[in-house]
Amino acid sequence: MIEIAVITGTTRPGTKAPAVADWVTGHAQNRTDLHVTTLDISAFDLPMLDEPIPPARGSYSHDHTRRWSEAISRFDGFIFVTPEYNHGPAPALINAIDYLFKEWADKAAAFVSYGAQANGVRAVEPLRSILAALNVATIANHVDLSIFSDFEQFSRPVPAEKKLKELDALLDQLVKWAKALRTVRIAT
């Protein structure tokens, strides 16, 4: 079974990310080819990167980093649920990614974004670059949600059927890539 983490991409109070993650996870739980778990980055209490040794060395001095490392290590792939802040991803998500190196490598990632103007699309592109530097394969499929048309009263996601089909296509592609990259990790 492919293990996928749905990662909430912000720690902002009142964020919609947990509700979007629940929507993704709830839909994905109907599948038999993967198992999904939600990881809320706020639960890991990661301060601004405070490890004295670069993450590529894999030597961590803080308990919060070791807990984050253990959580990420066990997954084959990721779905990052990200809002768009100022035409980019939330700093808390970039910080959480930057804490680790080898834990991300040779895994697959996808994105579900949301926002007011461009549905979070502008937050995804910088994340693709950051993850590429960590040897993460990001898939092309992407689900973007408008807080105006895909949310009930701007709080709970209720996307149209079209968005569910996009999510299914995203999950299909993510599973394929995660399976393929699992063989790469096993071979090394």
Side-chain angles (χ1 to χ4, degrees):
M1 176 92 48
I2 294 297
E3 293 289 334
I4 301 295
V6 178
I7 298 175
T8 59
T10 181
T11 57
R12 189 179 201 169
T15 178
K16 294 162 188 49
V20 176
D22 288 347
W23 173 73
V24 171
T25 302
H27 187 70
Q29 287 176 339
N30 297 323
R31 298 175 63 111
T32 59
D33 57 349
L34 61 88
H35 178 260
V36 292
T37 303
T38 299
L39 292 181
D40 187 341
I41 59 174
S42 66
F44 290 86
D45 295 319
L46 298 171
M48 288 306 292
L49 185 56
D50 64 348
E51 287 291 338
I53 297 172
R57 303 272 306 274
S59 177
Y60 305 126
S61 60
H62 298 293
D63 287 339
H64 55 262
T65 310
R66 287 190 284 275
R67 285 187 317 109
W68 182 234
S69 171
E70 289 169 14
I72 295 302
S73 292
R74 68 185 193 91
F75 293 100
D76 299 302
F78 310 98
I79 299 172
F80 291 95
V81 172
T82 182
E84 181 179 317
Y85 297 156
N86 302 320
H87 293 209
L93 178 55
I94 295 170
N95 185 56
I97 292 169
D98 285 347
Y99 258 93
L100 307 175
F101 185 79
K102 66 180 172 33
E103 296 86 348
W104 301 113
D106 299 323
K107 296 181 181 180
F111 304 95
V112 174
S113 65
Y114 62 93
Q117 294 176 342
N119 301 355
V121 171
R122 294 176 294 208
V124 170
E125 291 313 309
L127 290 171
R128 287 186 190 281
S129 261
I130 292 165
L131 291 170
L134 299 170
N135 296 318
V136 176
T138 61
I139 65 165
N141 298 68
H142 167 207
V143 177
D144 60 277
L145 304 174
S146 166
I147 63 167
F148 297 112
S149 60
D150 295 312
F151 286 79
E152 183 178 80
Q153 298 179 342
F154 302 102
S155 62
R156 189 174 66 85
V158 288
E161 185 67 27
K162 174 185 176 212
K163 296 296 181 176
L164 287 173
K165 289 178 183 177
E166 291 174 6
L167 181 56
D168 283 330
L170 178 151
L171 293 168
D172 290 343
Q173 198 68 26
L174 184 60
V175 168
K176 285 179 193 176
W177 278 91
K179 282 182 182 177
L181 288 167
R182 182 187 273 176
T183 64
V184 170
R185 291 193 315 278
I186 291 170
T188 56

Short mmCIF file of all heavy atoms in Angstrom, two decimals, residues 12 23-24 27 30 45 48 57 60 79-80 86 90 93 108 116 130 132-133 142 146 150 157 185-186:
data_model
loop_
_atom_site.label_atom_id
_atom_site.label_comp_id
_atom_site.label_asym_id
_atom_site.label_seq_id
_atom_site.Cartn_x
_atom_site.Cartn_y
_atom_site.Cartn_z
N ARG A 12 -1.15 29.45 10.18
CA ARG A 12 -1.92 30.66 10.47
C ARG A 12 -3.21 30.33 11.23
O ARG A 12 -3.95 29.43 10.84
CB ARG A 12 -2.26 31.34 9.15
CG ARG A 12 -2.86 32.69 9.27
CD ARG A 12 -3.12 33.26 7.88
NE ARG A 12 -3.23 34.69 7.92
CZ ARG A 12 -3.24 35.46 6.86
NH1 ARG A 12 -3.12 34.93 5.65
NH2 ARG A 12 -3.35 36.76 6.99
N TRP A 23 -11.02 17.38 3.30
CA TRP A 23 -11.72 17.09 2.03
C TRP A 23 -10.89 16.13 1.19
O TRP A 23 -11.41 15.14 0.67
CB TRP A 23 -12.00 18.40 1.29
CG TRP A 23 -12.55 18.20 -0.09
CD1 TRP A 23 -13.81 17.79 -0.42
CD2 TRP A 23 -11.86 18.40 -1.33
NE1 TRP A 23 -13.95 17.72 -1.79
CE2 TRP A 23 -12.76 18.09 -2.36
CE3 TRP A 23 -10.58 18.80 -1.65
CZ2 TRP A 23 -12.41 18.17 -3.72
CZ3 TRP A 23 -10.22 18.90 -3.00
CH2 TRP A 23 -11.13 18.58 -4.01
N VAL A 24 -9.60 16.40 1.06
CA VAL A 24 -8.70 15.54 0.27
C VAL A 24 -8.64 14.15 0.90
O VAL A 24 -8.82 13.14 0.22
CB VAL A 24 -7.29 16.15 0.18
CG1 VAL A 24 -6.30 15.17 -0.43
CG2 VAL A 24 -7.32 17.45 -0.62
N HIS A 27 -11.90 12.08 0.61
CA HIS A 27 -12.10 11.53 -0.74
C HIS A 27 -11.12 10.40 -1.02
O HIS A 27 -11.50 9.37 -1.59
CB HIS A 27 -11.97 12.64 -1.78
CG HIS A 27 -12.34 12.20 -3.15
ND1 HIS A 27 -13.63 11.90 -3.52
CD2 HIS A 27 -11.57 11.96 -4.25
CE1 HIS A 27 -13.65 11.51 -4.79
NE2 HIS A 27 -12.41 11.54 -5.25
N ASN A 30 -11.54 6.52 0.10
CA ASN A 30 -12.39 5.59 -0.65
C ASN A 30 -11.58 4.69 -1.58
O ASN A 30 -12.12 3.78 -2.18
CB ASN A 30 -13.42 6.36 -1.48
CG ASN A 30 -14.37 7.14 -0.62
OD1 ASN A 30 -14.76 6.70 0.45
ND2 ASN A 30 -14.73 8.33 -1.07
N ASP A 45 5.39 22.18 15.99
CA ASP A 45 6.02 23.33 16.66
C ASP A 45 7.43 23.61 16.14
O ASP A 45 8.38 23.72 16.91
CB ASP A 45 6.06 23.12 18.18
CG ASP A 45 4.68 23.07 18.79
OD1 ASP A 45 3.83 23.86 18.38
OD2 ASP A 45 4.45 22.20 19.67
N MET A 48 11.55 28.85 13.38
CA MET A 48 12.37 29.12 12.18
C MET A 48 13.58 28.21 12.27
O MET A 48 14.12 27.98 13.37
CB MET A 48 12.77 30.59 12.11
CG MET A 48 11.61 31.51 11.77
SD MET A 48 10.71 31.08 10.26
CE MET A 48 11.92 31.42 9.01
N ARG A 57 23.06 16.60 6.03
CA ARG A 57 23.90 15.72 6.87
C ARG A 57 23.05 14.74 7.68
O ARG A 57 23.55 13.73 8.14
CB ARG A 57 24.77 16.56 7.80
CG ARG A 57 25.68 17.55 7.10
CD ARG A 57 27.04 17.04 6.69
NE ARG A 57 27.83 16.44 7.72
CZ ARG A 57 28.64 17.09 8.55
NH1 ARG A 57 28.74 18.40 8.48
NH2 ARG A 57 29.33 16.43 9.44
N TYR A 60 20.45 15.72 13.56
CA TYR A 60 19.55 16.70 14.15
C TYR A 60 19.78 16.83 15.65
O TYR A 60 19.93 15.83 16.35
CB TYR A 60 18.10 16.31 13.88
CG TYR A 60 17.81 16.11 12.40
CD1 TYR A 60 17.25 14.93 11.93
CD2 TYR A 60 18.12 17.10 11.48
CE1 TYR A 60 17.00 14.74 10.58
CE2 TYR A 60 17.87 16.92 10.13
CZ TYR A 60 17.30 15.74 9.68
OH TYR A 60 17.05 15.56 8.35
N ILE A 79 0.86 15.20 -0.49
CA ILE A 79 -0.03 16.19 -1.09
C ILE A 79 0.07 17.41 -0.19
O ILE A 79 -0.29 17.36 0.99
CB ILE A 79 -1.49 15.70 -1.16
CG1 ILE A 79 -1.61 14.45 -2.02
CG2 ILE A 79 -2.39 16.82 -1.71
CD1 ILE A 79 -2.97 13.78 -1.99
N PHE A 80 0.61 18.47 -0.75
CA PHE A 80 0.73 19.71 0.00
C PHE A 80 -0.52 20.54 -0.23
O PHE A 80 -0.86 20.88 -1.36
CB PHE A 80 1.97 20.48 -0.47
CG PHE A 80 3.26 19.82 -0.09
CD1 PHE A 80 3.90 18.99 -0.99
CD2 PHE A 80 3.83 20.02 1.16
CE1 PHE A 80 5.09 18.36 -0.66
CE2 PHE A 80 5.02 19.41 1.50
CZ PHE A 80 5.65 18.57 0.59
N ASN A 86 0.52 36.47 -0.59
CA ASN A 86 1.40 37.40 -1.31
C ASN A 86 2.07 36.76 -2.53
O ASN A 86 3.27 36.87 -2.72
CB ASN A 86 2.45 37.99 -0.36
CG ASN A 86 1.81 38.70 0.80
OD1 ASN A 86 0.81 39.39 0.64
ND2 ASN A 86 2.37 38.53 1.99
N ALA A 90 3.03 29.81 2.09
CA ALA A 90 3.22 30.30 3.46
C ALA A 90 4.65 30.03 3.92
O ALA A 90 5.19 28.95 3.65
CB ALA A 90 2.23 29.62 4.40
N LEU A 93 5.39 26.66 5.65
CA LEU A 93 5.57 25.46 4.83
C LEU A 93 6.99 25.38 4.28
O LEU A 93 7.62 24.32 4.34
CB LEU A 93 4.55 25.43 3.68
CG LEU A 93 4.67 24.24 2.73
CD1 LEU A 93 4.59 22.91 3.47
CD2 LEU A 93 3.60 24.33 1.66
N ALA A 108 7.30 11.30 -4.35
CA ALA A 108 6.43 12.07 -5.24
C ALA A 108 5.60 13.06 -4.45
O ALA A 108 5.27 12.82 -3.28
CB ALA A 108 5.52 11.12 -6.01
N ALA A 116 -7.87 33.44 -3.16
CA ALA A 116 -8.91 34.37 -3.59
C ALA A 116 -8.75 34.79 -5.04
O ALA A 116 -9.72 34.84 -5.78
CB ALA A 116 -8.90 35.61 -2.69
N ILE A 130 11.52 24.36 -5.13
CA ILE A 130 12.12 23.98 -3.85
C ILE A 130 12.20 22.46 -3.75
O ILE A 130 13.24 21.90 -3.38
CB ILE A 130 11.31 24.58 -2.68
CG1 ILE A 130 11.47 26.11 -2.65
CG2 ILE A 130 11.73 23.96 -1.35
CD1 ILE A 130 10.46 26.81 -1.77
N ALA A 132 12.13 20.24 -6.16
CA ALA A 132 13.05 19.69 -7.16
C ALA A 132 14.48 19.66 -6.62
O ALA A 132 15.24 18.72 -6.86
CB ALA A 132 12.98 20.49 -8.45
N ALA A 133 14.85 20.68 -5.86
CA ALA A 133 16.19 20.73 -5.27
C ALA A 133 16.40 19.64 -4.23
O ALA A 133 17.53 19.30 -3.89
CB ALA A 133 16.44 22.10 -4.65
N HIS A 142 -2.87 19.01 -10.59
CA HIS A 142 -2.95 19.97 -9.49
C HIS A 142 -4.42 20.35 -9.35
O HIS A 142 -5.11 20.53 -10.34
CB HIS A 142 -2.08 21.17 -9.87
CG HIS A 142 -2.26 22.39 -9.03
ND1 HIS A 142 -2.01 23.65 -9.51
CD2 HIS A 142 -2.68 22.56 -7.77
CE1 HIS A 142 -2.25 24.54 -8.58
NE2 HIS A 142 -2.67 23.90 -7.51
N SER A 146 -11.09 27.92 -5.43
CA SER A 146 -11.40 29.32 -5.20
C SER A 146 -12.18 29.46 -3.90
O SER A 146 -13.17 28.75 -3.69
CB SER A 146 -12.26 29.86 -6.35
OG SER A 146 -12.83 31.10 -5.99
N ASP A 150 -15.62 27.56 -4.40
CA ASP A 150 -15.41 26.17 -3.96
C ASP A 150 -15.53 26.00 -2.45
O ASP A 150 -15.25 24.92 -1.92
CB ASP A 150 -14.04 25.67 -4.42
CG ASP A 150 -13.95 25.57 -5.93
OD1 ASP A 150 -14.88 25.01 -6.55
OD2 ASP A 150 -12.95 26.06 -6.50
N PRO A 157 -14.74 23.56 2.37
CA PRO A 157 -14.71 23.27 0.93
C PRO A 157 -15.88 22.41 0.49
O PRO A 157 -16.19 21.41 1.11
CB PRO A 157 -13.39 22.53 0.73
CG PRO A 157 -12.99 22.05 2.07
CD PRO A 157 -13.67 22.91 3.09
N ARG A 185 14.06 3.98 -4.20
CA ARG A 185 14.55 4.02 -2.81
C ARG A 185 14.99 2.64 -2.35
O ARG A 185 15.98 2.51 -1.62
CB ARG A 185 13.48 4.59 -1.88
CG ARG A 185 13.22 6.07 -2.11
CD ARG A 185 12.41 6.69 -1.00
NE ARG A 185 11.26 5.94 -0.57
CZ ARG A 185 10.08 5.93 -1.17
NH1 ARG A 185 9.89 6.63 -2.27
NH2 ARG A 185 9.07 5.22 -0.69
N ILE A 186 14.29 1.59 -2.76
CA ILE A 186 14.65 0.23 -2.36
C ILE A 186 15.98 -0.18 -2.99
O ILE A 186 16.79 -0.85 -2.36
CB ILE A 186 13.53 -0.77 -2.73
CG1 ILE A 186 12.30 -0.50 -1.84
CG2 ILE A 186 13.99 -2.20 -2.61
CD1 ILE A 186 11.06 -1.24 -2.28
#
